[in-house]
Amino acid sequence: MAELTTAGYQSLRNYVNSESASPPPWDYIELYDETQSAITRVSITGDTRCQWLDADGDNTLQVEISLQGSDADIPQPTTIKYSALWDASSGGNQLTPQEQFAEATLNQDGDSVVITHSLNIPQ
């Protein structure tokens, strides 16, 4: 389960501090291969493959992304092993460290994987 980076904590501080400019939304998830090289970054609320799963008041939030080998932004073959949350579609601040999960390889159009990125928000 991912914690927050320094930039993630600062984003929370900026959100709470009414004197700060509004921070960018935590709306992007980036996926990485086994060498920790970026594969793709997508909007959680703007991409139909993604969704927030858990907003019930506990300290764990989850993002789910469902991928197919036929997705245009996933080259074949690709092994996906890490994910991280960002505050921009490119550039921006990485808000969580890369979270490692059981790797999944997409070799052909019919392959699929569902990845859940968990984020622990301190109480």
Side-chain angles (χ1 to χ4, degrees), residues 38-53:
I39 300 167
T40 189
R41 188 185 304 185
V42 299
S43 168
I44 298 164
T45 59
D47 192 306
T48 59
R49 300 173 295 178
C50 297
Q51 64 179 328
W52 285 101
L53 291 180

Side-chain angles (χ1 to χ4, degrees), residues 19-20 74 87 91 97 103:
E19 293 180 7
S20 295
I74 307 295
D87 66 0
E103 65 185 42

